[in-house]
Amino acid sequence: MFERETWRSEEKAAFLVKAGVLLEQGYTLHQALQLLSWEQPYKVKEKIMQMIEELLAGTPVHDMLAHHDFPSDVTAYVFFSEQGGGLAEGLIGAGELFRKRLKTWTSIRQLLRYPLILVWAVVMIAVVMVQFLFPSFRELFQSLDIEFPLLTRMMIVIFQYVPYLLFGMVPFVLLGVLYYAIRFRQFAPDKQFALLWKIPFLQSYLQLFLTYYFSLQFSSMLKGGISIYEACQVFEKQHHFPFFQLEGTLLKQKLKEGKPLSAAVENSGWYRKDMKYVIQHGQEAGKLDEDLRFYGERVIDMLEARIKKTVMTLQPSLFLVIGSIILIMFLSVFLPMFQLMSSIQ
């Protein structure tokens, strides 16, 4: 039987959660990895044994995960948890974060599957019409000295120019890829996000994600006994999420200038405005870590709900557009037939 050679993302997420649960039960990380390796196929077991060797050589957990292609936001999550002294909770949280993202992408793919099938059907129908139906109609109508209906003539012209339009888009796509590879990736993280921020439909999603990530990671470090200033230093020295590395430097500088955390966060402009009030309330009540954790969980729920709502709105819109195109295509075929029947009568 052919053995799978890759470590699937769903299995990686489950691995993180299980490792965290075993740590909570009193196992060392070394023991937890050994236990988890027993239930894995050979190729994955090899990877876990490599992870154990890296740990024994003194490699931090977050770097070990990065070496084995875990996403950067997941490894950063583990890094922050390590700094706060809550590795078990951090592994579970990172695994759940990974799972939520995979679940969201799966939902998006499922919702877009049928519209994409319809798009493929439209393309196939168009090819048949252009290659077979319209040429046959043209010969017949020319022999009878009859003109095509207006809709049919329009569809013929559109079908003639669509291939040129598609080929004309190829250079722009290539330019976009080159711009990303050569230019965009060289920008500082804040400039990258600033450019993405200008895309209207993307701004609200980025804001929710950054707010969620900041509040949850800050909460985990505060819970571990780290001060607000030290938490900013931890943000600054991590290398898995460059945006928050720079953000940590800027927040630390504002704290040095005497600004409270709530004002520093508000001035950055990247986060939801209501996070300022959450921070103020948490500091006044002496439970900033709890307030930020609760707030972060609410924000991720809002982000998931917004993504689902967008996709659920997009799907019927695509169905409507594709259905209209199919209807017009069939009308462009049937109208000449009706006209031909009328002329014969």
Side-chain angles (χ1 to χ4, degrees):
M1 189 174 178
F2 183 77
E3 190 171 41
R4 204 171 48 223
E5 294 189 1
T6 56
W7 197 357
R8 295 172 59 234
S9 297
E10 294 82 359
E11 293 169 349
K12 286 183 176 181
F15 168 79
L16 291 173
V17 174
K18 290 177 182 178
V21 170
L22 288 173
L23 289 182
E24 288 185 335
Q25 293 175 353
Y27 291 89
T28 64
L29 185 58
H30 184 180
Q31 293 170 334
L33 295 183
Q34 282 186 323
L35 285 173
L36 291 173
S37 69
W38 296 343
E39 63 184 46
Q40 303 294 342
Y42 177 72
K43 290 292 182 181
V44 176
K45 186 180 294 187
E46 276 189 332
K47 291 179 180 291
I48 296 177
M49 297 311 294
Q50 291 172 8
M51 295 168 84
I52 292 174
E53 291 176 6
E54 291 178 25
L55 283 175
L56 293 175
T59 304
V61 179
H62 58 95
D63 282 334
M64 174 198 73
L65 294 174
H67 295 162
H68 292 274
D69 300 322
F70 282 77
S72 57
D73 57 332
V74 171
T75 55
Y77 195 115
V78 175
F79 172 84
F80 292 128
S81 301
E82 282 184 283
Q83 301 301 309
L87 179 58
E89 186 179 350
L91 287 171
I92 294 172
E96 293 298 340
L97 171 66
F98 203 175
R99 276 178 172 171
K100 283 184 177 181
R101 188 172 62 193
L102 292 171
K103 184 180 178 182
T104 300
W105 279 115
T106 301
S107 300
I108 291 173
R109 286 198 299 269
Q110 288 175 345
L111 289 169
L112 294 180
R113 182 181 303 163
Y114 296 113
L116 290 175
I117 291 173
L118 283 176
V119 170
W120 178 83
V122 168
V123 172
M124 291 299 101
I125 293 170
V127 169
V128 171
M129 291 172 66
V130 171
Q131 294 296 323
F132 302 103
L133 287 178
F134 286 151
S136 300
F137 276 144
R138 183 178 288 109
E139 291 179 6
L140 178 61
F141 274 62
Q142 285 177 351
S143 65
L144 296 174
D145 196 23
I146 303 173
E147 282 194 0
F148 275 135
L150 176 62
L151 180 62
T152 305
R153 293 201 302 272
M154 290 173 59
M155 291 302 295
I156 291 173
V157 172
I158 290 172
F159 286 149
Q160 285 176 342
Y161 285 101
V162 162
Y164 299 106
L165 179 63
L166 294 177
F167 281 118
M169 291 173 62
V170 171
F172 293 100
V173 173
L174 291 176
L175 284 173
V177 172
L178 289 173
Y179 175 78
Y180 172 78
I182 298 173
R183 183 86 174 168
F184 184 82
R185 293 180 64 180
Q186 307 304 319
F187 290 147
D190 58 334
K191 188 171 182 180
Q192 290 181 356
F193 273 85
L195 290 172
L196 295 174
W197 203 265
K198 294 178 181 178
I199 303 174
F201 71 90
L202 197 59
Q203 179 179 333
S204 60
Y205 297 98
L206 286 174
Q207 188 179 54
L208 284 169
F209 175 75
L210 295 176
T211 302
Y212 153 74
Y213 205 86
F214 177 87
S215 57
L216 212 61
Q217 302 311 329
F218 223 81
S219 167
S220 65
M221 288 187 286
L222 295 178
K223 186 178 180 180
I226 294 179
S227 68
I228 291 176
Y229 187 80
E230 289 171 333
C232 292
Q233 288 181 314
V234 172
F235 268 103
E236 183 181 26
K237 70 180 184 180
Q238 61 85 28
H239 59 274
H240 299 286
F241 206 144
F243 172 82
F244 280 110
Q245 190 175 28
L246 181 60
E247 190 70 0
T249 303
L250 296 174
L251 290 175
K252 191 179 73 171
Q253 184 60 38
K254 290 174 183 176
L255 292 175
K256 279 184 178 180
E257 295 171 0
K259 292 182 178 179
L261 179 62
S262 57
V265 166
E266 183 184 23
N267 291 340
S268 72
W270 296 111
Y271 311 106
R272 283 175 57 88
K273 293 180 180 180
D274 55 355
M275 189 166 73
K276 175 184 73 171
Y277 304 109
V278 173
I279 293 173
Q280 290 174 346
H281 179 271
Q283 288 181 308
E284 290 171 1
K287 53 175 185 176
L288 180 57
D289 59 331
E290 295 178 14
D291 282 8
L292 281 176
R293 173 164 289 276
F294 176 74
Y295 177 70
E297 290 171 352
R298 280 182 49 236
V299 171
I300 191 62
D301 289 340
M302 291 170 59
L303 178 59
E304 288 179 352
R306 182 165 295 184
I307 291 173
K308 288 179 181 177
K309 183 179 179 181
T310 301
V311 175
M312 291 296 289
T313 304
L314 182 63
Q315 189 189 46
S317 301
L318 284 173
F319 277 132
L320 180 63
V321 172
I322 295 170
S324 301
I325 292 172
I326 292 175
L327 177 62
I328 292 171
M329 289 170 66
F330 276 103
L331 283 175
S332 67
V333 172
F334 283 114
L335 284 177
M337 295 173 63
F338 293 142
Q339 183 172 339
L340 183 60
M341 292 170 63
S342 300
S343 63
I344 292 174
Q345 291 175 357

